[in-house]
Each structure stands twice: as C-alpha cells, then as structure tokens.
Amino acid sequence: MTTDLSRTTAIVTGATGGMGREISARLAAAGADVIATDLSDSGADALLAAARNDGGSIHFVAGDASVDDDIAAVVAVALSRTGRLDSAVNAAAIEFETVPLAECSDDDFDRMMSVNVRGVFLSMRHEIRAMLDGGRPGSIVNIASTSSFRPQRNQPAYTASKHAVLGLTRSAAYDYAGSGIRINAICPGAIDTPMLRNAMERRGGDPAEVASRLSPIGRFGEPSEIADAALWLVSASSSFTTGHALAVDGGMLAS
C-alpha cells in the first residue's frame, strides 16, 4: 500500500512503545509531520533517528497522556508547527496485571483506568477540538485490544479499560461523523512488543505456547502490521470507514 500523507500533521501518543514507535515512523515515512509523545524521552533518540533515515519528520514532546495540560500542550505544538491537525493515533497504554478481580487493588485499577481510558478520552477531546476548529476532515485511531471483546485470565482492569476504549471510539465516531471526523479502533492480538514479552515473563509463559494459543496463524504479530493498519485508517483509502474495530490478531477472535 502506498499512501501519501504529505502536507498533513499527525499526533501519536505512546510513541516510544513497540507499536507506537512503528506507527510514528510509518506515518512520517508517508510524509506526515508527526508530533510524537510519550511519558519520557527514553527511546526518543532512536525514534527520531529512524525517521531521519527514512526521510520523515518527527518532533518529540514528552508528556503524560492522562494529564490534560500535557495533552493540550502536545496538540498546541502540532498546531504551532503547521496550523492544522489531520490525524492522530492514540497508542499510550499499560498492562501489568497478574491477579483476578477479587485481588485487584484500588490503586492498580485506578492506574489502569487513568492511562488506558482517561488518556484516550483526553487525547480525543483535544484532537477533536483542533480538527473542528480547523474545519477540515480528520481521522483518529485508538489502539484497543482483542481484550475489548474477549478477556484473558487475570486481567480484570485491563479488560475493562479496553472495553471502555472501544466504547469511547464508537460513541465519538457516531457524534462526529457528520463533521468529517472519522474515529476507529485497532484491536491488536498478540503483538511482539516489550509489553507482551514482559507480560509473558511475569506469568512464566512460554512464547511458543502463547503464540500457538493466541494466534491460529501460529506466530506473534509484528508492530509493523499494526502500523500498516493505522496508516490505512488515517488515510483517505478508508474514507467510508468510521466507528470500526479492526482486529489485527492472527485470527484470534475468529477462533
């Protein structure tokens, strides 16, 4: 797929994570001016170097997606650079659970909701306002999960948070379809990222067993495969698609 995003501006949250980094680089390589943000600048140098090697443009801004002022500042940077916001991919998320609901602490539940749900809510709120003010079509992609449909064991707060991301996506898509703003979700399955590897280590999971159990294709997905989906959803190629949950999961939800 060849997609030209020249003369457009995009925001990516969670940009130094496994999927966010690949999405940022892919949008930049397609010509977008990318404002990439994450909690800290750890990993930002590698992200910026990759973009330069591909001839793309990425500007990094450290910020917490669950803090309103931080997200407002990221959107302000985007607007100050080009005067417009055309697309956004909200990929900031955490996952750390290893216990069932009755053992889940208040602090762990609140932390999960703060990043995974509040972060998407705040990001969309500022992104939608900027797109409406700009008076031009826009596209937002939220990274949900196969857990938005099917829970994994001992992940109550994470599962609830990803159900909420899908709910926010569909509600906003319905509200803003008439304004030319398309809002969709990607639901990744088992993607080979540091988050997945850390989760398997915490649970003592064998990678080969996990891959065979979670993917009928029999392997982990690659972050590049999520980036391909994100590129399609932010581009004009998906111009009649909104409110959709696109599973990129190796067939997990079909099994």
Side-chain angles (χ1 to χ4, degrees):
M1 180 178 64
T2 57
T3 300
D4 184 7
L5 299 182
S6 300
R7 297 177 296 281
T8 69
T9 303
I11 288 172
V12 180
T13 73
T16 63
M19 286 184 277
R21 176 176 171 177
E22 192 71 27
I23 291 167
S24 299
R26 188 64 54 85
L27 298 188
D33 187 73
V34 177
I35 312 303
T37 184
D38 214 320
L39 190 58
S40 76
D41 58 6
S42 176
D45 288 345
L47 175 63
L48 298 177
R52 286 192 295 270
N53 290 339
D54 290 337
S57 171
I58 296 180
H59 181 78
F60 184 81
V61 181
D64 186 337
S66 66
V67 175
D68 185 75
D69 286 348
D70 285 9
I71 289 298
V74 170
V75 174
V77 169
L79 296 177
S80 71
R81 286 173 62 82
T82 63
R84 60 190 292 166
L85 178 62
D86 301 278
S87 62
V89 181
N90 299 316
I94 56 174
E95 191 286 308
F96 53 82
E97 291 179 290
T98 59
V99 297
L101 189 147
E103 299 172 39
C104 180
S105 71
D106 291 357
D107 287 345
D108 283 352
F109 183 85
D110 290 345
R111 180 183 170 206
M112 194 79 74
M113 292 297 162
S114 178
V115 177
N116 293 4
V117 183
R118 179 179 171 83
V120 169
F121 165 73
L122 293 176
S123 297
M124 281 204 297
R125 187 166 69 181
H126 286 287
E127 292 155 2
I128 289 168
R129 287 173 177 173
M131 290 173 179
L132 290 173
D133 289 345
R136 57 173 57 88
S139 177
I140 296 173
V141 178
N142 296 319
I143 303 300
S145 171
T146 50
S147 291
S148 299
F149 298 94
R150 181 186 298 176
Q152 296 299 309
R153 193 177 299 279
N154 295 334
Q155 292 185 327
Y158 180 78
T159 299
S161 74
K162 290 303 185 176
H163 274 67
V165 168
L166 193 51
L168 286 171
T169 299
R170 287 171 166 165
S171 178
Y174 188 68
D175 286 342
Y176 294 101
S179 300
I181 300 174
R182 298 184 300 106
I183 304 172
N184 294 286
I186 296 173
C187 299
I191 308 300
D192 197 357
T193 63
M195 181 183 288
L196 176 66
R197 293 286 174 172
N198 291 337
M200 289 190 294
E201 184 176 349
R202 287 194 305 272
R203 295 172 173 83
D206 173 67
E209 184 279 327
V210 173
S212 65
R213 175 167 51 85
L214 296 183
S215 169
I217 286 180
R219 65 168 177 86
F220 294 133
E222 296 295 332
S224 62
E225 293 171 304
I226 303 301
D228 286 340
L231 181 61
W232 180 71
L233 285 172
V234 303
S235 76
S237 297
S238 61
S239 57
F240 200 57
T241 303
T242 193
H244 181 60
L246 176 60
V248 184
D249 65 349
M252 176 186 172
L253 292 178
S255 63

